[in-house]
Amino acid sequence: MERRPARGHRMVPHTADVRIEAWAPDREGCVAEAVTALVDTFVDPTGATPEADVEFHVPPGADEDLLVSVLDEVIFRMETEGELPLATEVRPADDGGLTVRWRATGTDAVELVGAVPKAVSLHELRFGPDGDGWSCAVTLDV
């Protein structure tokens, strides 16, 4: 059996929507990897350069709620601000939430290659410790 890399993501077949899986050695890395997976489902960021640093706080909650909040923020900012993360760093916040920092670019700087996600589905959401690290599986409504 082939070992997967310590950190990564992929799209998996799904009937009507888009399903992503992500994994990393720790919770925060898994959230960051899920952000990259989300963006990779509908744009090709090749050649895009970061235009802004964006930082925001996610309030404390269950691990699944933290993941969904960060992914929802990607979709929200894409729709309202026209920006997408090219690189994501996630750190635990002192209050139990998360601090998320993006190197962002405008949506006009990337090529659309797939259906744009409209929301994060809670159906079959999975996020937690997995073997040597953390993993998640998320369905995106398109």
Side-chain angles (χ1 to χ4, degrees), residues 11-78:
M11 283 195 302
V12 293
H14 194 267
T15 51
D17 296 312
V18 174
R19 187 140 171 100
I20 58 173
E21 292 180 350
W23 59 91
D26 56 30
R27 180 183 75 158
E28 292 75 19
C30 190
V31 172
E33 205 56 51
V35 169
T36 302
L38 168 75
V39 172
D40 285 354
T41 66
F42 69 100
V43 298
D44 178 3
T46 304
T49 56
E51 299 169 357
D53 288 332
V54 177
E55 187 170 294
F56 64 95
H57 176 261
V58 179
D63 291 327
E64 293 87 357
D65 295 338
L66 295 172
L67 173 65
V68 170
S69 292
V70 173
L71 297 178
D72 279 343
E73 190 71 15
V74 174
I75 295 168
F76 174 76
R77 288 184 188 248
M78 175 194 59

Side-chain angles (χ1 to χ4, degrees), residues 35-137:
V35 169
T36 302
L38 168 75
V39 172
D40 285 354
T41 66
F42 69 100
V43 298
D44 178 3
T46 304
T49 56
E51 299 169 357
D53 288 332
V54 177
E55 187 170 294
F56 64 95
H57 176 261
V58 179
D63 291 327
E64 293 87 357
D65 295 338
L66 295 172
L67 173 65
V68 170
S69 292
V70 173
L71 297 178
D72 279 343
E73 190 71 15
V74 174
I75 295 168
F76 174 76
R77 288 184 188 248
M78 175 194 59
E79 292 174 348
T80 63
E81 304 292 328
E83 69 182 28
L84 287 171
L86 293 176
T88 303
E89 176 188 324
V90 181
R91 299 181 318 271
D94 292 339
D95 66 358
L98 298 174
T99 300
V100 181
R101 183 170 187 254
W102 287 331
R103 301 283 317 218
T105 193
T107 53
D108 57 346
V110 294
E111 181 182 348
L112 187 66
V113 295
V116 177
K118 301 296 180 201
V120 178
S121 173
L122 301 179
H123 182 68
E124 296 183 346
L125 175 68
R126 178 180 53 77
F127 181 46
D130 178 17
D132 293 336
W134 281 67
S135 69
C136 67

